[in-house]
Amino acid sequence: MDKVVTAQEAVERIKDGSTIMIGGFGGHGSPHTVIDALVKKGAKNLTLICNDAGTPGFGAGALVANHQIKKMYVSILSPNPQAQEQLAAGELEVCLIPQGSLAEMIRAGGYGLGGVLTRTGIGTQVEEGKQKVTVKGETYLLEEPLKADVALIYASKGDRAGNAVYHGSARAHSPSMAAAADYTILEVGELKEVGEIHPDEIHTQSVLVDAVVEKGGKA
């Protein structure tokens, strides 16, 4: 099945109030063509699940700058002063999650797990309001799975069916996000025909991808 669409067609499914995941790390390895299309669409009151808030105008930061994010689950906020300003002004709700826990919570959402047990955050503000579980005398926090309506991810190479090959920081969260969303949009740097990518290279299989957008393609 050929899943290639324009970026604007891909983001049509993202409505006001949607929960979105964005792959990458500090904006690197993020799907910038798709993000630009979402900025142009202007969907508001979005909940963002991402490694970080990006930087001003870059990565997820482009959505922050356009005041499209209402709430975000991230592990890092400091590189984006705009996000800090919106938080201080009461315009943005931020849930800071330890980076390893965030990665595992997304994975749990994608693979049907009931949650993640971790000692990270025990004795800190992170544990407030969370269930604790004791296993063999050790106390753990139960971190619940994270899922999304839509995932926006980037791969250096992918085919028209949605098979993806990641490079570098794009691989940090994107494979799990592809599984944890109801609808996955894959932006590819190099678009291949089906069969041109060796099966052993593929990191995310086409069954998890719903739409494919070529990097720098028509918005």
Side-chain angles (χ1 to χ4, degrees):
M1 181 185 296
D2 192 329
K3 299 176 183 176
V4 177
V5 296
T6 68
Q8 204 61 47
E9 288 171 336
V11 301
E12 275 305 306
R13 183 153 176 163
I14 304 175
K15 308 299 182 184
D16 291 356
S18 293
T19 296
I20 63 171
M21 292 178 172
I22 298 180
F25 193 101
H28 299 283
S30 296
H32 299 290
T33 302
V34 176
I35 292 172
D36 288 346
L38 183 54
V39 169
K40 183 177 179 180
K41 177 179 171 63
K44 300 290 186 181
N45 297 320
L46 301 173
T47 295
L48 170 68
I49 300 170
C50 191
N51 180 75
D52 50 78
T55 54
F58 186 71
L63 298 170
V64 173
N66 204 37
H67 296 270
Q68 292 175 257
I69 306 299
K70 179 181 179 181
K71 181 177 182 179
M72 61 170 62
Y73 295 81
V74 295
S75 62
I76 306 170
L77 191 68
S78 56
N80 193 335
Q82 292 177 333
Q84 296 178 55
E85 291 167 3
Q86 290 179 28
L87 173 63
E91 301 171 0
L92 177 66
E93 181 181 350
V94 176
C95 183
L96 285 173
I97 303 173
Q99 193 169 85
S101 298
L102 179 64
E104 286 298 282
M105 291 161 73
I106 295 169
R107 186 179 69 87
Y111 300 127
L113 304 180
V116 177
L117 295 181
T118 177
R119 288 188 50 77
T120 303
I122 291 287
T124 74
Q125 290 182 334
V126 172
E127 74 174 24
E128 293 180 5
K130 295 179 180 176
Q131 182 179 344
K132 295 181 182 179
V133 178
T134 300
V135 180
K136 295 183 178 180
E138 294 284 354
T139 301
Y140 298 85
L141 295 182
L142 173 62
E143 296 284 13
E144 297 182 357
L146 287 173
K147 292 183 68 66
D149 299 308
V150 184
L152 316 179
I153 60 176
Y154 176 80
S156 59
K157 181 168 60 176
D159 65 24
R160 304 183 75 89
N163 294 300
V165 180
Y166 304 109
H167 175 73
S169 56
R171 199 173 178 181
H173 299 293
S174 296
S176 295
M177 288 180 173
D182 295 330
Y183 190 83
T184 297
I185 301 170
L186 170 69
E187 180 178 329
V188 298
E190 184 180 356
L191 182 61
K192 297 287 190 179
E193 297 298 324
V194 175
E196 289 185 336
I197 301 175
H198 193 282
D200 288 345
E201 292 184 72
I202 295 170
H203 298 135
T204 290
Q205 291 74 29
S206 61
V207 68
L208 296 174
V209 173
D210 299 283
V212 177
V213 173
E214 190 170 7
K215 178 182 178 180
K218 183 179 178 182

